[in-house]
Amino acid sequence: MTVADIIKSRTDTRKSYFFGMLSGHSGEEHILKDALFGARELNNFLDDGNCMLLIVRSFDEKSYTFLNNLLPGDDDIANFGKCVAIIKIRPDVIVDVSNIQANVIVVTLLDNPITSLYHAIRKVYAPMLNDSKNDDTKLLSLVKELDTKLATSSRTADSRSCLNYEDDLNFNGILRTVDEISHWRDIEQSSTVSFKLKDRAIAYNKQFKDVKEFFRGLENQTLEAVADYLMKLVDVLDAIWSITDKEPLYPEERMKHLIEINGGDIGRFVQSQISKIGLLKGEYHDVKSKLRIGYQICHDWSNLITRKVNVWKQDAPASLEKRPSSYRRNHILSCRVIHQQLSWLLNETEQHQFDIGSLFEPFQGLDPVLYNPFTQPLWEAALQQFAEKLVPVKNTCSQNENRNYGSVCFACFLERGFVFCIPFPIWCPLVLETSGFLWTLLAFWRQVCICVFPGDACVTPAHR
């Protein structure tokens, strides 16, 4: 029996473990498996205690390169690409899965090394060091300084990880509004840029200073404060776009990107603020108020930006309130309105009988404001279960309509619409009952008008 036959007849659990770990980063799993199981570099990493590094790199997800070391000046560093780095902590031979879990660090690298290192330090290592009982103030100071330097480099580095302030269209590292503000501040403070570029940076920073502190403390703002600040933000963008005495002008593509990240910052802020109030179990009037303010912020921002870019003769950005997540807001508000109206329509015995308090159980474990292709099917299934829970309540509601129409009429006008006229599909079975109920409400309104406006008995809501 040859060595090759022995290798084929055995199952190497170590290689299977690495394949399972790396398969999530690959497009063609069978190609990865063939390349990985036959890679000499993987054998070196597993069997040689002196081999401390394994890099798995892919450019097109159809071919893979394996490396056991990186040398300064190597072309492999200049063309790093997308890769996964597997690092040993101790110079041991890998003998089983428990050995891997105790001795191996896995790092995913995207874009370029500076960007990957920056995000790892900013989001993982710096918070852990700051939260731990670390009395080494010098170390913490060095970590903070490194974080600042990497942030500057990630905003301006090109694909070769070289600082390039002169390229206005290189904004891959500009992910938030504060990044754009910091970018022009860095240019103003730099001693290596041209006078023309520094002069532009001074002009832009003069406009950004009015919103710098706002965005840096955005998470501490209130929905009402942000709603009042939108016009100021648009005025700052307009002022920057209107600077025509500095050449070259602020690039159109960069302005579009700035508008997008502005909208992203505002949208995520609204999302986080609304998530805090407990949309399905929080106080009804508080939920209704916050949802309406959040929607109004997105709607106003979209309208203000659209009007402004139309003046600039650019393509208007995507409308915030037309994004799919805004429709989720309508669903949430409708569910809460239905629950509240049922609390008014049903007496305490009926509420206990139909267990109105459990109507929102189908939504347990779901965050209503998180919208993506994976959460949408779960949300739709929860809506369907919510509708099914309402089926036994339907007949009782319709039976109670006539005896409660006075109080319900009052509630309808508070909600700016009739109780069963909510734009929500689960009330379709109540269409016939609703038709009769609306005529009853109209008769009630005319009786009110006779009492309040004698001699004008034909007054209807539409006439007032």
Side-chain angles (χ1 to χ4, degrees), residues 366-387:
L366 299 178
D367 190 333
V369 300
L370 300 183
Y371 179 94
N372 61 56
F374 298 96
T375 61
Q376 183 60 14
L378 299 176
W379 178 259
E380 292 175 352
L383 285 179
Q384 183 62 35
Q385 293 179 46
F386 180 82

Side-chain angles (χ1 to χ4, degrees), residues 23-291:
S23 60
H25 300 277
S26 67
E28 303 287 343
E29 292 189 3
H30 66 281
I31 297 178
L32 171 64
K33 187 172 184 178
D34 293 341
L36 184 66
F37 276 61
R40 178 175 54 84
E41 291 82 2
L42 177 58
N43 293 331
N44 294 339
F45 184 78
L46 295 174
D47 301 328
D48 186 355
N50 293 316
C51 184
M52 305 292 290
L53 175 68
L54 174 66
I55 291 180
V56 183
R57 186 176 57 183
S58 170
F59 288 107
D60 54 9
E61 297 186 344
K62 293 184 178 180
S63 62
Y64 296 88
T65 302
F66 302 90
L67 300 170
N68 285 136
N69 54 63
L70 288 174
L71 300 176
D74 195 334
D75 290 339
D76 290 325
I77 297 180
N79 302 299
F80 213 60
K82 175 183 176 182
C83 71
V84 177
I86 305 171
I87 308 163
K88 284 182 187 175
I89 300 175
R90 294 180 296 275
D92 295 339
V93 175
I94 302 297
V95 295
D96 54 30
V97 173
S98 61
N99 189 215
I100 296 174
Q101 295 172 343
N103 191 29
V104 167
I105 297 174
V106 181
V107 180
T108 302
L109 302 177
L110 301 173
D111 197 9
N112 59 56
I114 290 180
T115 301
S116 300
L117 180 59
Y118 164 65
H119 288 288
I121 291 178
R122 166 63 63 90
K123 298 169 183 175
V124 180
Y125 297 110
M128 292 177 68
L129 289 171
N130 287 326
D131 290 341
S132 64
K133 296 180 180 179
N134 192 339
D135 297 329
D136 192 340
T137 56
K138 184 176 181 180
L139 174 61
L140 296 177
S141 177
L142 290 173
V143 170
K144 184 176 181 180
E145 182 180 355
L146 177 60
D147 177 80
T148 303
K149 295 293 184 182
L150 287 173
T152 300
S153 298
S154 68
R155 288 192 295 267
T156 55
D158 58 19
S159 59
R160 298 166 300 169
S161 303
C162 299
L163 290 178
N164 188 2
Y165 285 120
E166 302 290 339
D167 185 4
D168 281 344
L169 298 182
N170 176 27
F171 40 75
N172 292 329
I174 308 297
L175 308 178
R176 301 174 301 161
T177 306
V178 292
D179 294 333
E180 179 71 2
I181 296 172
S182 298
H183 169 75
W184 293 107
R185 180 206 61 196
D186 294 340
I187 292 178
E188 182 179 351
Q189 296 175 353
S190 175
S191 59
T192 61
V193 300
S194 64
F195 174 79
K196 182 183 293 187
L197 180 57
K198 179 173 288 192
D199 193 36
R200 290 175 61 207
I202 293 173
Y204 298 149
N205 286 331
K206 184 178 180 181
Q207 303 301 328
F208 277 131
K209 71 177 182 179
D210 293 332
V211 297
K212 178 174 60 176
E213 295 304 321
F214 173 80
F215 276 105
R216 286 181 176 172
L218 183 59
E219 64 277 4
N220 298 321
Q221 301 288 344
T222 63
L223 288 171
E224 293 78 5
V226 171
D228 294 338
Y229 210 81
L230 294 181
M231 182 59 75
K232 180 67 174 179
L233 300 181
V234 176
D235 289 342
V236 168
L237 295 177
D238 185 47
I240 292 174
W241 184 254
S242 301
I243 296 176
T244 57
D245 58 337
K246 310 295 181 184
E247 294 289 344
L249 303 179
Y250 201 93
E252 180 176 331
E253 290 300 319
R254 195 175 190 99
M255 178 57 73
K256 288 181 180 178
H257 180 71
L258 179 56
I259 291 173
E260 286 295 329
I261 60 178
N262 276 338
D265 286 343
I266 294 171
R268 287 188 296 272
F269 167 78
V270 171
Q271 186 182 57
S272 66
Q273 292 296 309
I274 290 178
S275 294
K276 294 177 181 178
I277 61 177
L279 291 174
L280 298 177
K281 294 187 177 181
E283 183 66 29
Y284 169 70
H285 294 290
D286 188 32
V287 170
K288 183 176 69 173
S289 174
K290 296 297 184 184
L291 280 174

